[in-house]
Amino acid sequence: MTTHKTRMLIIGSGPAGYSAAIYGARAGMEPIVVQGLQPGGQLTITTDVENYPGFEDVIQGPWLMEQMQKQAEHVGTRMMWDTIVDVDVAGGSPFRAVGDSGDEYIGDVLVIATGAQAKWLGVPGEEELGGKGVSACATCDGFFYRGKKVAVIGGGNTAVEEALYLTNHSDDVTLIHRRDELRSEKILQDRLFASEKISTLWNKTVESFEAGENGKLGHLVLVDTVTGEKSTLEVDGAFVAIGHAPATELFKGKLPMDDGGYLLVEAGTPMTEIPGVFACGDVMDHTYRQAVTAAGTGCMAALDAERFLATLEFAEKEAAE
Ligand code: NDP
C-alpha cells in the first residue's frame, strides 16, 4: 500500500475532472486525478463531437478526452489508474480516499467529478447499435438526423425535452412511453402536445432495436404493455431518455444529495456543505449535462479550491505566530 499526498485530490476523469486538474496544476496545487473505471468518462463512448467549442471540424469524443488528459498531465497533474472505493470527508481537510488498488490518497481539498451515466433499457440491439442510430443524448447527436425519422423513449422531463429539441432537425418525432401519461412537467407536456412534428405511442415498451440493411438502426420492435401485442416502428434514430444515474454511491450518508442522488452544492458554486469538498460536472448537474458545462464547473471547483487553500494556509500561519 502506498500513500499519495496532494494539495488537490480529484476523483473522476471526464471534462470536469480534467478541467479542474488543468486549473489546479497551473495554480501550483499539484493535483492527483484518480481516473476511475472509465478514464475520460462518458465522451469516450461517443463518436462525433460537434458542439465542443474550439474545433472547426467534427472531432471524436475519445480523442477529445485524450487531449484533455495530456493537457492536464503536461501542466503537472499526476494520473492514477485506480478506482476510489472509500472516502472519508467527515473530519474536514485533509480528506482521505482509498483506491481499489489498496493505495491511500490524501488531499487538502477534494474535488468530486465522478459524473453520471445515462440509463439504458438493456434490450437486444441497444448496445450493438450505439452510435449507429441509438443514442442517449439528442443535444449531442440530434443534428445527425436532420430530415430523418426519430423516436424518443421515456416519459419524464428529459424525454419530452429531447423530443422537442429533435423537432429542430426532424419533422417526424415519435415519443414512446410505457404508460398512458407522462411524468414530465405540464408546461413541457403542453408544448409537446402542441407540436405537429411529434406523435406519441402510449403503453409501449421497446423489445429490441433492429438493424437495417446498411447495418444501422432500421426499426424498433415494440410491445403493448396492456394487450401484449407486438408492432414495429421504422426509425433512423432512437434516443433513450429514461433518466441518468449520478455516480454518487461512494458519498451516500457522507454528503447531501437530492432525490435523484445528485450531490447538492451551494447555488451557483461547486461548494458542497463540507468546506474543501467541491463537486463539479454531471455529478451535481442534472439539467445541462454537457461536456462544456462540466468543464466550466471543473474550472470553478479549482478556483474555489485555490481560495479555500489560501484561507486555510493563512489561518494556519496566524495560529503558528
Ligand atoms: P425521470 O426519472 O423523471 O423519468 C424517466 C422516464 O423514463 C419515466 O417516464 C419512466 O417511466 C421512464 N422509464 C424509466 N425506466 C424505463 C424503462 N426501463 N423502460 C421504459 N421507460 C422507462 O428522468 P428524467 O431524466 O426525465 O429526469 C430526471 C430528473 O431531472 C427529474 O427530476 C427531472 O425533473 C429533471 N430534469 C429537469 C429538466 C428541467 O427542469 N428542464 C430537464 C431534464 C430533467 P415512468 O413514468 O413510467 O416511471
Side-chain angles (χ1 to χ4, degrees), residues 54-318:
F55 304 95
E56 184 182 3
D57 298 319
V58 177
I59 53 169
Q60 299 297 301
W63 177 84
L64 178 63
M65 297 322 298
E66 200 185 312
Q67 293 300 309
M68 284 193 204
Q69 178 184 329
K70 285 183 181 162
Q71 187 180 356
E73 284 176 314
H74 180 72
V75 291
T77 304
R78 265 189 293 165
M79 296 292 164
M80 307 303 294
W81 291 82
D82 202 353
T83 301
I84 298 298
V85 293
D86 193 21
V87 285
D88 182 4
V89 291
S93 173
F95 305 99
R96 182 177 171 271
V98 180
D100 194 30
S101 64
D103 281 7
E104 181 186 51
Y105 301 88
I106 312 271
D108 292 335
V109 293
L110 177 67
V111 175
I112 301 167
T114 46
Q117 284 182 324
K119 291 184 194 161
W120 295 97
L121 292 165
V123 300
E126 185 178 47
E127 199 177 335
E128 297 84 337
L129 292 167
K132 294 181 200 152
V134 178
S135 167
C137 179
T139 326
C140 320
D141 299 329
F143 182 79
F144 303 115
Y145 299 94
R146 191 155 277 233
K148 301 203 170 155
K149 209 171 140 80
V150 294
V152 176
I153 299 121
N157 276 352
T158 302
V160 175
E161 282 200 343
E162 302 251 289
L164 289 165
Y165 175 81
L166 285 165
T167 61
N168 294 319
H169 303 298
S170 165
D171 292 342
D172 192 342
V173 180
T174 306
L175 184 84
I176 302 166
H177 185 36
R178 64 182 176 184
R179 294 186 293 128
D180 63 359
E181 61 177 351
L182 301 171
R183 71 165 61 232
S184 77
E185 288 164 14
K186 187 170 178 310
I187 186 163
L188 286 173
Q189 296 196 28
D190 290 346
R191 286 178 54 205
L192 180 98
F193 296 133
S195 171
E196 288 177 357
K197 296 179 181 177
I198 304 174
S199 48
T200 41
L201 279 178
W202 301 114
N203 300 321
K204 300 276 189 290
T205 53
V206 176
E207 189 179 77
S208 64
F209 296 84
E210 303 289 339
E213 281 175 8
N214 59 4
K216 293 183 177 174
L217 178 65
H219 67 270
L220 311 178
V221 176
L222 306 175
V223 180
D224 192 293
T225 55
V226 180
T227 64
E229 202 179 311
K230 283 192 188 183
S231 58
T232 59
L233 180 73
E234 280 187 24
V235 285
D236 302 294
F239 293 86
V240 178
I242 60 168
H244 278 74
T248 50
E249 195 63 34
L250 263 181
F251 308 103
K252 279 203 175 130
K254 298 178 179 176
L255 284 168
M257 301 174 189
D258 68 11
D259 292 345
Y262 289 83
L263 291 180
L264 290 175
V265 289
E266 193 180 311
T269 81
M271 295 181 209
T272 69
E273 84 170 9
I274 298 182
V277 179
F278 304 92
C280 51
D282 288 9
V283 76
M284 48 69 95
D285 169 21
H286 60 67
T287 309
Y288 300 104
R289 294 197 292 247
Q290 300 301 299
V292 66
T293 50
T297 53
C299 158
M300 290 158 69
L303 295 177
D304 283 337
E306 203 185 335
R307 279 186 205 114
F308 171 81
L309 283 180
T311 312
L312 198 71
E313 279 156 21
F314 183 75
E316 279 169 4
K317 212 167 143 197
E318 289 272 283

